[in-house]
Amino acid sequence: MASSSSLSISPRKLRSDLYSYTYQNDKNRAKASTTPLVISVLASLIQRTMTRNERVAKNCSWALSKCAKDRVFDCHETPDMTIQSYLERIFRYTKAGPPVYVVAYVYIDRFCQANPGFRITARNVHRLLITTIMVASKYVEDMNYRNSYYALVGGLSTNELNNLELEFLFLMGFKLHVNVSVFESYCCHLEREVSAGGGYHIEKTLRCAEEIKSRQSEERRYNHLARITL
């Protein structure tokens, strides 16, 4: 389990990291090799939550839910891969921008609130992560891979991931919208949870993203008109 002291991330570096990965073009993104720092932050938080849940379950038999919906993400065998490694694998093959991981965390929190009997454990964390990241990517990004590709990255069959996505959406009540204020509050939550000194400043990117997308759209319209006039 990663500790806050082992994650020495400077605010300036984290801000730069988020912007460079979120808004660079496809050609530059293909060349990117460094994992976004927010992945380490999220991995640490999820790992601590999972460890706490498993400790409670070990000491309290009533903490183990028997409800089928609370075990929807359970797998038969616990994957032999750390949360950090799994998130790094997802990023390596999908290049989803840093805001996707923040939105995925929003979804995980909402899912847990909507399903009080659900607990993040080693048996369900990997499937939960690939599902929420895929759904978050569809919400945040303009272009996305097919479910079959995400299934390959996550180590599942396409049918399994399709079913998990459908179950997740219904159990969430299709509450997927994340506005800027919610996004910012979860960035602050990640900062408080991981850094005892509050040193993590995850950049507030959704508003900036909207502005950049609007500007790019205007530039495309201008270029299109320019070609027509020529």
Side-chain angles (χ1 to χ4, degrees):
M1 180 176 64
S3 63
S4 58
S5 60
S6 66
L7 295 172
S8 55
I9 303 174
S10 71
R12 181 175 299 178
K13 170 59 180 171
L14 189 49
R15 284 196 299 271
S16 172
D17 192 61
L18 279 162
Y19 274 114
S20 65
Y21 274 109
T22 305
Y23 304 120
Q24 58 193 207
N25 59 39
D26 291 339
K27 182 178 179 181
N28 289 333
R29 288 181 74 167
K31 295 179 180 179
S33 59
T34 305
T35 304
L37 299 175
V38 68
I39 285 181
S40 295
V41 177
L42 181 59
S44 176
L45 177 57
I46 295 295
Q47 179 65 55
R48 288 197 293 154
T49 300
M50 185 179 73
T51 301
R52 182 171 60 250
N53 288 340
E54 293 181 337
R55 184 169 59 249
V56 171
K58 182 179 180 180
N59 297 327
C60 306
S61 58
W62 53 263
L64 296 174
S65 175
K66 304 299 182 182
C67 182
K69 72 174 185 178
D70 295 330
R71 308 182 74 85
V72 63
F73 290 102
D74 281 9
C75 56
H76 297 298
E77 296 182 6
T78 303
D80 186 22
M81 182 177 287
T82 65
I83 296 173
Q84 176 80 26
S85 297
Y86 194 64
L87 289 176
E88 288 176 353
R89 173 181 170 81
I90 293 172
F91 170 75
R92 186 182 310 119
Y93 291 107
T94 67
K95 292 297 188 289
V100 169
Y101 299 93
V102 178
V103 172
Y105 180 56
V106 175
Y107 290 167
I108 290 172
D109 191 39
R110 285 181 182 175
F111 182 82
C112 292
Q113 291 181 34
N115 303 274
F118 178 81
R119 298 289 185 274
I120 300 175
T121 68
R123 294 181 68 87
N124 61 35
V125 65
H126 297 83
R127 292 186 174 200
L128 177 66
L129 285 171
I130 190 64
T131 303
T132 53
I133 290 171
M134 181 181 73
V135 174
S137 181
K138 291 179 180 180
Y139 179 81
V140 175
E141 304 279 15
D142 289 330
M143 298 181 66
N144 285 280
Y145 291 105
R146 295 176 181 271
N147 283 24
S148 56
Y149 183 77
Y150 269 97
L152 184 64
V153 172
L156 304 173
S157 69
T158 302
N159 188 53
E160 283 178 313
L161 187 56
N162 287 343
N163 289 336
L164 287 176
E165 180 184 24
L166 192 60
E167 291 279 359
F168 175 75
L169 293 175
F170 275 99
L171 290 172
M172 279 273 288
F174 290 85
K175 296 179 180 179
L176 303 178
H177 179 59
V178 178
N179 60 34
V180 173
S181 62
V182 170
F183 181 84
E184 291 180 350
S185 70
Y186 275 82
C187 286
C188 293
H189 180 66
L190 288 172
E191 294 167 8
R192 289 194 301 270
E193 286 293 322
V194 179
S195 175
Y200 296 109
H201 293 273
I202 300 176
E203 198 58 53
K204 317 306 187 281
T205 57
L206 288 188
R207 185 183 294 110
C208 186
E210 292 172 357
E211 294 174 356
I212 290 177
K213 287 180 181 178
S214 176
R215 186 162 60 248
Q216 290 176 340
S217 179
E218 291 177 0
E219 290 175 354
R220 283 195 294 269
R221 285 198 296 270
Y222 175 80
N223 292 334
H224 178 67
L225 291 174
R227 285 196 297 271
I228 292 176
T229 56
L230 291 175

